[in-house]
Amino acid sequence: MKSNLTIKEYADMLLTPCETLCPELFENNKLRPDIKNQILSQVDFILSKTYLHQISGLKIKDIYLSGDFAGYFYNELSLIDIKIEISNEGCPFLTANNEDLELFCKELYIGKLADFKFRLNNRVVSFVFITDKPAFADLYSINRDKWIRMPSKESRKHLNVKAILEGFDNKYQRAKLQSNTVKQYDKHTCFDVEDIMQLYKSLTKSKDSSIYEHIVYKLLQASGILQDINQTIYTVTNSFLSL
């Protein structure tokens, strides 16, 4: 992990609420005006570079603060999560499938803003395009300056750290075994590439489906296994293409 915390300590931290909303971001239960202006300025920069707001049929619906800092469960490892909600209302070159839209936005962001980094009060800020509101997360609309989903200190009370650690360990051990097995091969096929990419997808696709899955994902991220699999994808793909 990036800090000296163990996975168990990090899991405990993710289940322990702070006494107040983050004072660096909130005042009187509202996002501080200076913080709001800085975020919106960066969103404008992102849109100016990707031209998404100028593409026919695409509409920016809202901009949200989500994740740990949109509630009471922020900590020293938390990112500031900004989600830009976009909808397809008749784009001529995209299907109506939301996954296609999210992939298009992601690839455009990577292509135009690969080196873009932004910090707010020395915190890393993550910008992500979404096509629907997260199912469970606390959510603050930056555009409308209001809570869409109010945070609660009780929102993780039902979760059990032992069950979370078991869920993490099951996924971690499976991922480690499959990744190590693939890396042992001298040569790789297209099936190896597909298998390792499907492994990564299986570890990340459910991260926004529930608080439990979200926390397990955070533990996987902190453990370094996701970075390891990404590197394996790169290695296996290059090996296959060199045949």
Side-chain angles (χ1 to χ4, degrees):
M1 291 186 64
K2 293 180 181 178
S3 75
N4 293 324
L5 293 172
T6 66
I7 289 294
K8 166 69 166 59
E9 289 169 336
Y10 187 37
D12 284 330
M13 180 186 290
L14 291 171
L15 295 180
T16 305
C18 300
E19 286 300 313
T20 66
L21 297 173
C22 179
E24 297 174 14
L25 302 183
F26 288 95
E27 188 174 4
N28 297 324
N29 213 34
K30 288 274 192 178
L31 194 64
R32 285 171 38 188
D34 59 317
I35 298 298
K36 174 181 177 179
N37 291 337
Q38 288 183 68
I39 292 172
L40 291 180
S41 174
Q42 294 304 312
V43 171
D44 285 344
F45 173 76
I46 290 169
L47 295 178
S48 73
K49 290 294 185 181
T50 58
Y51 302 105
L52 278 167
H53 61 313
Q54 298 180 17
I55 296 175
S56 175
L58 298 188
K59 180 181 178 182
I60 306 300
K61 296 184 69 175
D62 210 338
I63 300 160
Y64 305 106
L65 172 65
S66 183
D68 297 342
F69 277 109
Y72 296 97
F73 294 89
Y74 55 93
N75 58 70
E76 63 186 81
L77 298 179
S78 296
L79 304 179
I80 296 176
D81 293 313
I82 305 300
K83 300 194 185 300
I84 305 170
E85 186 180 10
I86 188 167
S87 65
N88 181 359
E89 300 181 4
C91 180
F93 56 83
L94 285 172
T95 70
N97 188 324
N98 280 343
E99 287 188 6
D100 290 344
L101 176 57
E102 288 185 359
L103 181 60
F104 172 72
C105 292
K106 179 180 179 181
E107 292 300 324
L108 196 57
Y109 184 96
I110 293 171
K112 296 289 186 179
L113 293 157
D115 298 323
F116 173 65
K117 291 181 176 64
F118 176 57
R119 284 180 175 268
L120 197 55
N121 291 347
N122 209 33
R123 302 275 190 177
V124 175
V125 180
S126 167
F127 292 91
V128 176
F129 287 98
I130 60 173
T131 55
D132 201 3
K133 297 179 185 66
F136 66 89
D138 302 324
L139 214 57
Y140 188 93
S141 169
I142 300 172
N143 273 354
R144 290 177 277 172
D145 211 16
K146 61 182 283 190
W147 288 101
I148 304 302
R149 200 172 293 129
M150 288 291 294
S152 168
K153 294 179 184 178
E154 306 295 313
S155 62
R156 302 185 183 184
K157 194 173 182 179
H158 65 288
L159 296 173
N160 179 285
V161 70
K162 182 180 177 182
I164 286 173
L165 289 172
E166 287 175 354
F168 158 76
D169 193 57
N170 287 339
K171 290 189 176 186
Y172 180 88
Q173 295 301 335
R174 175 170 61 87
K176 198 71 175 175
L177 176 62
Q178 188 169 340
S179 179
N180 287 341
T181 299
V182 170
K183 283 190 286 190
Q184 288 175 4
Y185 302 153
D186 292 329
K187 296 180 180 180
H188 298 93
T189 69
C190 62
F191 299 109
D192 296 322
V193 176
E194 177 67 18
D195 285 348
I196 200 68
M197 291 182 73
Q198 285 299 321
L199 171 63
Y200 184 84
K201 187 175 181 180
S202 73
L203 296 173
T204 59
K205 68 179 180 180
S206 62
K207 65 185 175 72
D208 292 325
S209 63
S210 69
I211 297 177
Y212 168 84
E213 289 291 349
H214 182 70
I215 292 176
V216 169
Y217 168 79
K218 279 182 169 291
L219 298 182
L220 290 168
Q221 198 173 41
S223 73
I225 189 65
L226 298 181
Q227 295 91 321
D228 180 65
I229 293 172
N230 259 326
Q231 182 58 47
T232 303
I233 290 172
Y234 176 80
T235 302
V236 170
T237 301
N238 280 348
S239 171
F240 166 63
L241 293 176
S242 66
L243 291 177

